[in-house]
mmCIF file of all heavy atoms in Angstrom:
data_model
loop_
_atom_site.group_PDB
_atom_site.id
_atom_site.type_symbol
_atom_site.label_atom_id
_atom_site.label_comp_id
_atom_site.label_asym_id
_atom_site.label_seq_id
_atom_site.Cartn_x
_atom_site.Cartn_y
_atom_site.Cartn_z
ATOM 1 N N ILE O 442 1.793 -4.851 11.536
ATOM 2 C CA ILE O 442 1.879 -4.700 10.144
ATOM 3 C C ILE O 442 2.322 -3.308 9.712
ATOM 4 O O ILE O 442 2.254 -2.348 10.464
ATOM 5 C CB ILE O 442 0.435 -4.920 9.334
ATOM 6 C CG1 ILE O 442 -0.631 -4.023 10.045
ATOM 7 C CG2 ILE O 442 0.048 -6.425 9.529
ATOM 8 C CD1 ILE O 442 -1.956 -4.198 9.438
ATOM 9 N N ASN O 443 2.828 -3.102 8.544
ATOM 10 C CA ASN O 443 3.339 -1.896 7.996
ATOM 11 C C ASN O 443 2.168 -1.286 7.117
ATOM 12 O O ASN O 443 1.638 -1.953 6.303
ATOM 13 C CB ASN O 443 4.458 -2.008 7.103
ATOM 14 C CG ASN O 443 5.811 -2.403 7.889
ATOM 15 O OD1 ASN O 443 5.637 -2.726 9.089
ATOM 16 N ND2 ASN O 443 6.913 -2.415 7.254
ATOM 17 N N LEU O 444 1.789 -0.033 7.466
ATOM 18 C CA LEU O 444 0.629 0.548 6.728
ATOM 19 C C LEU O 444 1.159 2.060 6.504
ATOM 20 O O LEU O 444 1.745 2.649 7.347
ATOM 21 C CB LEU O 444 -0.638 0.587 7.484
ATOM 22 C CG LEU O 444 -1.357 -0.763 7.488
ATOM 23 C CD1 LEU O 444 -2.734 -0.595 8.328
ATOM 24 C CD2 LEU O 444 -1.700 -1.278 6.096
ATOM 25 N N PHE O 445 0.648 2.622 5.355
ATOM 26 C CA PHE O 445 0.751 4.094 5.102
ATOM 27 C C PHE O 445 -0.474 4.875 5.724
ATOM 28 O O PHE O 445 -1.619 4.563 5.321
ATOM 29 C CB PHE O 445 0.886 4.471 3.623
ATOM 30 C CG PHE O 445 2.248 4.044 3.078
ATOM 31 C CD1 PHE O 445 2.525 2.856 2.513
ATOM 32 C CD2 PHE O 445 3.293 5.093 3.090
ATOM 33 C CE1 PHE O 445 3.807 2.532 2.103
ATOM 34 C CE2 PHE O 445 4.484 4.794 2.554
ATOM 35 C CZ PHE O 445 4.809 3.576 2.030
ATOM 36 N N ILE O 446 -0.203 5.712 6.706
ATOM 37 C CA ILE O 446 -1.260 6.395 7.328
ATOM 38 C C ILE O 446 -1.272 7.911 6.936
ATOM 39 O O ILE O 446 -0.115 8.618 6.824
ATOM 40 C CB ILE O 446 -1.025 6.386 8.855
ATOM 41 C CG1 ILE O 446 -0.839 4.893 9.358
ATOM 42 C CG2 ILE O 446 -2.243 7.137 9.629
ATOM 43 C CD1 ILE O 446 -2.150 4.118 9.023
ATOM 44 N N PRO O 447 -2.352 8.351 6.478
ATOM 45 C CA PRO O 447 -2.468 9.843 5.963
ATOM 46 C C PRO O 447 -2.197 10.830 7.091
ATOM 47 O O PRO O 447 -2.490 10.629 8.164
ATOM 48 C CB PRO O 447 -3.890 9.972 5.409
ATOM 49 C CG PRO O 447 -4.596 8.927 6.167
ATOM 50 C CD PRO O 447 -3.690 7.804 6.470
ATOM 51 N N VAL O 448 -1.602 12.047 6.659
ATOM 52 C CA VAL O 448 -1.319 13.139 7.584
ATOM 53 C C VAL O 448 -2.316 14.225 7.242
ATOM 54 O O VAL O 448 -2.607 14.539 6.176
ATOM 55 C CB VAL O 448 0.052 13.554 7.369
ATOM 56 C CG1 VAL O 448 0.367 14.738 8.256
ATOM 57 C CG2 VAL O 448 1.044 12.551 7.544
ATOM 58 N N GLU O 449 -2.835 14.745 8.403
ATOM 59 C CA GLU O 449 -3.930 15.791 8.325
ATOM 60 C C GLU O 449 -3.218 17.086 8.967
ATOM 61 O O GLU O 449 -2.749 17.045 10.014
ATOM 62 C CB GLU O 449 -5.173 15.543 8.972
ATOM 63 C CG GLU O 449 -6.224 16.712 8.936
ATOM 64 C CD GLU O 449 -7.416 16.375 9.800
ATOM 65 O OE1 GLU O 449 -7.284 15.874 10.976
ATOM 66 O OE2 GLU O 449 -8.580 16.575 9.319
ATOM 67 N N PHE O 450 -3.305 18.144 8.326
ATOM 68 C CA PHE O 450 -2.820 19.374 8.696
ATOM 69 C C PHE O 450 -3.895 20.408 9.249
ATOM 70 O O PHE O 450 -4.913 20.586 8.477
ATOM 71 C CB PHE O 450 -1.953 20.193 7.725
ATOM 72 C CG PHE O 450 -0.839 19.318 7.121
ATOM 73 C CD1 PHE O 450 -0.933 18.427 6.084
ATOM 74 C CD2 PHE O 450 0.407 19.287 7.872
ATOM 75 C CE1 PHE O 450 0.074 17.707 5.656
ATOM 76 C CE2 PHE O 450 1.471 18.654 7.387
ATOM 77 C CZ PHE O 450 1.385 17.701 6.319
ATOM 78 N N ILE O 451 -3.858 20.828 10.455
ATOM 79 C CA ILE O 451 -4.891 21.593 11.057
ATOM 80 C C ILE O 451 -4.431 23.060 11.452
ATOM 81 O O ILE O 451 -3.217 23.154 11.571
ATOM 82 C CB ILE O 451 -5.554 20.930 12.229
ATOM 83 C CG1 ILE O 451 -4.507 20.775 13.336
ATOM 84 C CG2 ILE O 451 -6.158 19.605 11.757
ATOM 85 C CD1 ILE O 451 -5.241 20.107 14.652
ATOM 86 N N ASN O 452 -5.305 23.880 11.762
ATOM 87 C CA ASN O 452 -4.892 25.277 12.160
ATOM 88 C C ASN O 452 -4.098 26.087 11.279
ATOM 89 O O ASN O 452 -3.118 26.788 11.744
ATOM 90 C CB ASN O 452 -4.431 25.245 13.546
ATOM 91 C CG ASN O 452 -5.440 24.730 14.633
ATOM 92 O OD1 ASN O 452 -6.673 24.850 14.494
ATOM 93 N ND2 ASN O 452 -4.945 23.988 15.565
ATOM 94 N N GLU O 453 -4.310 26.006 10.007
ATOM 95 C CA GLU O 453 -3.575 26.705 9.008
ATOM 96 C C GLU O 453 -3.751 28.230 9.293
ATOM 97 O O GLU O 453 -2.713 29.012 9.180
ATOM 98 C CB GLU O 453 -3.940 26.464 7.594
ATOM 99 C CG GLU O 453 -3.659 24.913 7.200
ATOM 100 C CD GLU O 453 -3.818 24.829 5.661
ATOM 101 O OE1 GLU O 453 -4.175 25.787 5.017
ATOM 102 O OE2 GLU O 453 -3.797 23.619 5.353
#
Side-chain angles (χ1 to χ4, degrees):
I442 53 175
N443 292 9
L444 287 180
F445 281 93
I446 305 300
V448 179
E449 179 186 48
F450 299 93
I451 62 173
N452 295 328
E453 294 186 8

